[in-house]
Amino acid sequence: MKGQIVAAKCIDLSFEGKGVAKYDQGIVFVDGLFPGEEAEVEITYTRAGSNFGKIKKLITFSKDRIQPRCPVCTACGGCQFQQLSYQAQLAFKKNKVKNAFSRTAKINVSVNDVIGMDDPYFYRNKIQMPIAKDKSGKIITGFYKANTHVIVPIEKCYIEDERSSPILATIRALMKDMRIEPYDEDKRTGVIRHILIRTSYYKKQIMVVLVTNVNSFPGQRNFVNALMAKHPEITTIVQNINKRDTNVILGNYENILYGKGFIEDSLLGINYQISSKSFYQINPRQTEKLYTAAIEAANLSKEDVVFDAYTGIGTIALLAAKHAKHVIGVEIVNQAIRDAIRNAKHNAISNVEFHAADVADYMTQMADENHKIDVLFMDPPRKGADEGFLRSVLKLSPKKIVYISCEPETLARDVKILSSRYDVISVQPVDMFPQTHHVETVVGLYLKK
């Protein structure tokens, strides 16, 4: 089967944005093939009984196909939809959310149109790139090709902040000139493993993180000075030390090589300090739309007590505090809670408290002690909430729940459990990740009367 060339016609898009193409012997999933298109497809592998392939020759073209800006978008794997018109992307994402609810939650809901971007490019405020040498010995940065550890060299990424590419080019040039070796995964030798760049949208600050395999390297100070001389727009440089044989990018130890070790940005008038490891939404322009939709779904009053689960650095909690009587934010990551407390003080917000704890245990204890909350915000990781957390929610029974999700399937799974006690009032998708198949969704749930 592998290597077979088949004539196939795309009849749909899968949940992951792959073309669902029909041919004589069945179905093959194909990246970059869109509904209505016909192509010669090479079957490249089979997994769990499903065939996957790549386009060898495109025969008919969808009216929604466009010329991609990025010359390596088909090789990189970071974008699934650069060849698909933006309106078609938004339509796919709305259907993706609606289908998840009907298929997984068994609930027919009205889904609002996706809130999109005016300019769906150059939006990511965080870039993480591995660094290596190609076969000719040239130092490259890029992204791993899907399902491999082969780096696709990237000169300019069209979904990352435009300020990042020139900095990466300078780092590559300085490493060559100063003979600083990139990390070799196989030999476990070399100095620099990854480059992480974080940018702020409103404050115009830039953080560069050098992830190294060593505590220090020869010429380190000269390297930092040369980088700053070339890019005075950089406001802080951090060295993160990761000597482990792991796919995890960041290690546990850091040195501040220049500046304060963090950057600052604003969301809806609230200022945040962002460190190398802080969770902060990737798309600042859309994050304001996302959180505005969440606050609107909550319909807060000055008498409300709010609980913000998975609070992170307190982003939603601090926004809600402006509209509520009191806010409790809980997060299991200690560093995030320290950041949240610092952000509350920095913004002089006093009607909020933060706790480092397991959210399910904390909420169960609140229910056992007969504490009441009016509104629950929950923004769990991609895998969704666990059963213990959902049981604690049902036990505590807040009047309203605002569920923010980056994964429609786990969202629908969790809402199905909550729907035993709650009605779905609103479903608002927001396009946080243009050119990809991902979509964020805000769901409002009200306790049944």
Side-chain angles (χ1 to χ4, degrees), residues 20-82:
V20 181
K22 191 174 182 179
Y23 69 106
D24 287 343
Q25 298 174 41
I27 295 291
V28 58
F29 296 94
V30 187
D31 286 324
L33 193 64
F34 305 124
E37 294 186 329
E38 298 177 6
E40 292 181 2
V41 174
E42 179 183 351
I43 295 177
T44 53
Y45 66 96
T46 300
R47 184 178 64 204
S50 297
N51 294 320
F52 296 83
K54 63 180 181 180
I55 298 172
K56 292 294 288 183
K57 181 181 178 181
L58 200 56
I59 298 170
T60 60
F61 294 76
S62 166
K63 62 180 175 55
D64 294 316
R65 180 176 286 274
I66 61 173
Q67 184 65 30
R69 292 194 187 185
C70 178
V72 296
C73 67
T74 56
C76 163
C79 299
Q80 296 80 44
F81 287 154
Q82 279 220 19

Side-chain angles (χ1 to χ4, degrees), residues 12 123 209 337 357 406:
D12 201 356
Y123 58 84
V209 181
I337 289 298
C406 59

Side-chain angles (χ1 to χ4, degrees), residues 203-240:
K203 302 287 186 178
K204 305 303 179 186
Q205 298 176 11
I206 301 175
M207 170 193 293
V208 175
V209 181
L210 307 172
V211 183
T212 67
N213 186 47
V214 293
N215 293 334
S216 63
F217 54 90
Q220 182 170 292
R221 177 48 53 190
N222 290 337
F223 180 88
V224 170
N225 290 341
L227 182 58
M228 288 303 307
K230 185 75 173 179
H231 295 282
E233 68 273 21
I234 296 173
T235 52
T236 190
I237 300 176
V238 175
Q239 178 194 15
N240 178 277

Side-chain angles (χ1 to χ4, degrees), residues 26 46 100 171 197 240 287 294 316 361 389 395 425 436 442:
T46 300
I171 290 173
I197 299 175
N240 178 277
T287 297
I316 297 173
D361 293 344
F389 174 80
K395 187 172 185 178
I425 303 300
T436 80
V442 178

Side-chain angles (χ1 to χ4, degrees), residues 193-194 211 240 242-252:
R193 301 173 66 131
H194 280 81
V211 183
N240 178 277
N242 185 0
K243 299 181 182 182
R244 296 172 295 174
D245 183 15
T246 175
N247 291 329
V248 177
I249 293 174
L250 295 177
N252 295 324

Side-chain angles (χ1 to χ4, degrees), residues 360-371 392 395-396:
D361 293 344
Y362 196 96
M363 291 180 71
T364 299
Q365 183 177 345
M366 288 185 71
D368 289 342
E369 296 174 356
N370 293 318
H371 292 288
S392 70
K395 187 172 185 178
L396 193 58

